[in-house]
Amino acid sequence: METTGLLNHLEINVSNLAASRKFWDWLLLKHLGYQHYQVWEQGISYIKKPYSYLVFVQTDVQKLSAGYRRTHVGLNHLAFSVADKQLITRIKKELGPLNYNELYAARYPYAGGKKHYALYFEDPDRIKVEIVAIGE
């Protein structure tokens, strides 16, 4: 596999590491096949072998007041591919009981267009997450 140009890792500062870890453990470990990579007092990372990983780091208290806004300059959302529409259905069913906010629910599963089967929701910091069915 060609590795030149692949995303190596992405680091995201979070407002509450414990809440973020609960969310990302649920999504990445349970549903998307990631594993814990590194864990330290102020952060955690998840790896999808062999090449890429995600890092979540606790933001310093003095920097929390600005908050996150996906429509401002910076990260808008994270999108993950899945090959199975049933996995998207399972994730959607778990959102409500876990109190995670689904986005565009009235237009599910085609909020991204007639040929784009996807689920959109937010992490604890309101970072938009998209799960996209590919290859079907």
Side-chain angles (χ1 to χ4, degrees):
M1 174 182 211
E2 174 62 41
T3 59
T4 301
L6 289 180
L7 182 66
N8 182 269
H9 69 278
L10 179 66
E11 184 170 319
I12 300 172
N13 291 335
V14 298
S15 65
N16 180 319
L17 184 59
S20 291
R21 180 175 180 171
K22 181 179 176 185
F23 174 87
W24 291 105
D25 275 2
W26 164 74
L27 181 62
L28 297 176
L29 301 179
K30 181 176 180 181
H31 294 293
L32 299 183
Y34 280 73
Q35 300 172 342
H36 284 142
Y37 183 46
Q38 302 160 316
V39 179
W40 66 104
E41 186 177 337
Q42 294 298 311
I44 187 166
S45 63
Y46 303 86
I47 191 165
K48 180 72 174 191
K49 292 183 178 180
Y51 299 111
S52 63
Y53 62 100
L54 296 169
V55 183
F56 299 90
V57 178
Q58 178 63 53
T59 300
D60 294 332
V61 173
Q62 67 271 22
K63 297 177 183 173
L64 287 173
S65 63
Y68 169 77
R69 301 290 182 267
R70 74 171 169 265
T71 59
H72 290 194
V73 173
L75 178 73
N76 179 273
H77 70 283
L78 297 171
F80 298 91
S81 299
V82 299
D84 182 0
K85 289 179 181 177
Q86 288 75 30
L87 177 55
I88 293 176
T89 301
R90 287 193 303 274
I91 293 169
K92 179 179 172 47
K93 286 180 181 177
E94 292 179 20
L95 288 175
L98 293 173
N99 292 319
Y100 297 133
N101 185 39
E102 181 180 353
L103 300 171
Y104 324 122
R107 295 185 287 154
Y108 170 81
Y110 296 107
K114 292 180 182 180
K115 295 183 179 184
H116 191 77
Y117 193 101
L119 173 65
Y120 301 85
F121 51 99
E122 295 176 321
D123 88 337
D125 283 311
R126 302 198 62 222
I127 295 172
K128 182 166 62 172
V129 177
E130 178 181 356
I131 309 296
V132 182
I134 60 169
E136 290 190 24

